[in-house]
């Protein structure tokens, strides 16, 4: 099942994508796609609905983030062996964890704003893991039971802020518009193996990232279990699980996003995003 939120920013409605790719309205069944709607019981009820009985939504539609009222975005750094190699970083002994603020969240095709003064805005296609029920000190063997589904995330990053401005990575990761999420959330039952998904990202039509979740250092199961040792994962929380090689920082010489560029990215079975970029301005902030 592919769950979406569609409509103008701040006014999105819940929906699903039927087998023909048509958006169907779910408003009579759930108020929105949030933590409550992601419980195993509610997802089971939604899966039992015949999509043909739901109102069809005329297109084109804007997709918002597929989940709302996200409590936190927990990100994992250097989680792909080949990405660690391209950045000349050692393989982490344990997952590197940092957070992105929810104020960075936008829809999958919304405009990414290059921060004021930025010269090193970068891209990262990542598998997003959406939590469906509270996870605290869960074992690795049961960790996937706490996952509601999966989505695509572009972990947009400002490398100067992240690496050259002191302190933790958060300054380079949390700028407004730096977390495009979607277009939809695919429920866990439809993703047979989250560790065998191809993924790619293009900038202005040039393929920079072309990888697979097979090269993750720490699997989805490991990450859910590990993170739940340090904080409770709550329904609607999202784990952004790291990126394969091909980021702008790893190019020789480095390549960064400029105003007017276009990023396209996708993960196998989870849909595609596309973001235009523009420079920050006070008038449009």
């Amino acid at each position: 099942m592919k769950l979406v939120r569609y409509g103008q920013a701040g006014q999105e409605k819940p929906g699903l994508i039927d087998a023909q790719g048509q958006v169907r309205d779910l408003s009579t069944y759930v108020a929105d796609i949030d933590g409550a709607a992601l419980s195993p019981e509610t997802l089971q009820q939604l899966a039992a609905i015949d999509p043909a009985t739901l109102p069809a939504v005329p297109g084109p539609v804007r997709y918002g983030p597929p989940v709302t009222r996200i409590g936190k975005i927990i990100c994992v750094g250097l989680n792909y062996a080949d990405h660690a190699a391209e950045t000349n970083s050692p393989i982490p002994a344990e997952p590197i964890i940092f957070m992105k603020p929810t104020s960075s969240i936008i829809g999958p095709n919304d405009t990414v704003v290059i921060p004021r003064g930025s010269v090193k805005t970068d891209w990262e296609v990542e598998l997003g893991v959406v939590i469906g029920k509270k996870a605290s000190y869960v074992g690795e063997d049961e960790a996937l039971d706490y996952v509601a589904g999966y989505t695509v995330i572009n972990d947009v990053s400002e490398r100067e802020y992240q690496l050259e401005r002191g302190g933790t990575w958060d300054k380079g990761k949390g700028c407004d518009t730096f977390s495009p999420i979607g277009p939809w959330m695919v429920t866990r039952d439809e993703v047979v193996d989250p560790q065998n998904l191809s993924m790619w990202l293009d900038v202005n039509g040039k393929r920079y990232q072309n990888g697979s979740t097979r090269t993750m250092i720490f699997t989805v199961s490991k990450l859910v279990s590990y993170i739940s040792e340090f904080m409770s994962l709550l329904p609607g929380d999202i784990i952004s699980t790291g990126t394969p090689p091909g980021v702008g920082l790893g190019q020789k010489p480095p390549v960064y996003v400029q105003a007017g560029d276009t990023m396209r990215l996708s993960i196998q079975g989870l849909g595609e995003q596309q973001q235009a970029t523009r420079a920050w301005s006070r008038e449009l902030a």
Side-chain angles (χ1 to χ4, degrees):
M1 183 167 54
K2 294 181 176 69
L3 296 177
V4 299
R5 298 176 64 250
Y6 67 93
Q8 296 182 7
Q11 302 178 35
E12 293 95 344
K13 295 181 179 181
L16 60 76
I17 306 293
D18 67 18
Q20 290 72 45
Q22 171 69 50
V23 179
R24 299 279 181 167
D25 181 60
L26 271 176
S27 297
T28 58
Y29 289 90
V30 290
D32 213 332
I33 308 298
D34 56 11
L38 297 173
S39 71
E41 296 77 17
T42 301
L43 290 181
Q44 186 175 18
Q45 293 169 4
L46 296 179
I49 300 170
D50 179 0
T53 65
L54 299 171
V57 178
V61 299
R62 170 194 172 268
Y63 292 115
V67 179
T68 189
R69 289 184 281 279
I70 297 167
K72 52 187 176 288
I73 307 173
I74 310 100
C75 302
V76 185
L78 298 174
N79 192 36
Y80 283 67
D82 35 10
H83 173 53
E86 77 169 341
T87 58
N88 297 312
S89 301
I91 300 296
E94 296 188 34
I96 297 171
I97 294 174
F98 61 93
M99 310 284 277
K100 295 193 82 158
T102 55
S103 55
S104 67
I105 297 171
I106 58 172
N109 304 313
D110 292 346
T111 300
V112 167
V113 178
I114 297 176
R116 183 175 64 181
S118 167
V119 294
K120 295 183 179 180
T121 294
D122 204 347
W123 56 82
E124 294 188 5
V125 57
E126 304 204 1
L127 174 67
V129 178
V130 183
I131 301 299
K133 61 180 181 179
K134 182 178 179 180
S136 179
Y137 295 104
V138 303
E140 192 171 342
D141 59 341
E142 60 177 339
L144 292 185
D145 294 340
Y146 294 82
V147 173
Y150 301 93
T151 190
V152 181
I153 297 177
N154 188 354
D155 176 21
V156 185
S157 308
E158 214 295 340
R159 301 302 189 187
E160 180 188 6
Y161 301 175
Q162 176 188 356
L163 303 172
E164 302 172 36
R165 298 288 294 272
T168 63
W169 290 3
D170 301 67
K171 283 183 281 189
K173 296 286 190 171
C175 301
D176 292 352
T177 75
F178 270 25
S179 298
I181 304 176
W184 39 71
M185 186 201 81
V186 179
T187 50
R188 175 168 52 91
D189 59 296
E190 293 195 6
V191 179
V192 175
D193 183 3
Q195 304 308 145
N196 190 28
L197 302 175
S198 60
M199 53 207 307
W200 56 264
L201 184 145
D202 296 349
V203 179
N204 298 332
K206 179 178 178 179
R207 181 69 40 96
Y208 281 94
Q209 292 190 273
N210 192 12
S212 170
T213 57
R214 290 191 303 272
T215 67
M216 274 188 185
I217 298 166
F218 305 105
T219 64
V220 171
S221 296
K222 175 64 176 180
L223 293 175
V224 173
S225 175
Y226 181 87
I227 295 169
S228 77
E229 296 180 21
F230 301 95
M231 65 193 80
S232 290
L233 294 169
L234 303 177
D237 286 351
I238 294 180
I239 302 172
S240 196
T241 57
T243 197
V247 299
L249 176 65
Q251 306 302 308
K252 300 185 187 310
V255 176
Y256 296 111
V257 175
Q258 308 295 320
D261 287 347
T262 299
M263 296 178 283
R264 290 180 60 235
L265 55 148
S266 180
I267 298 178
Q268 180 181 350
L270 303 184
E272 181 179 309
Q273 302 183 358
Q274 178 170 306
Q275 299 103 31
T277 60
R278 68 167 176 84
W280 182 91
S281 69
R282 189 172 301 280
E283 293 75 17
L284 296 174

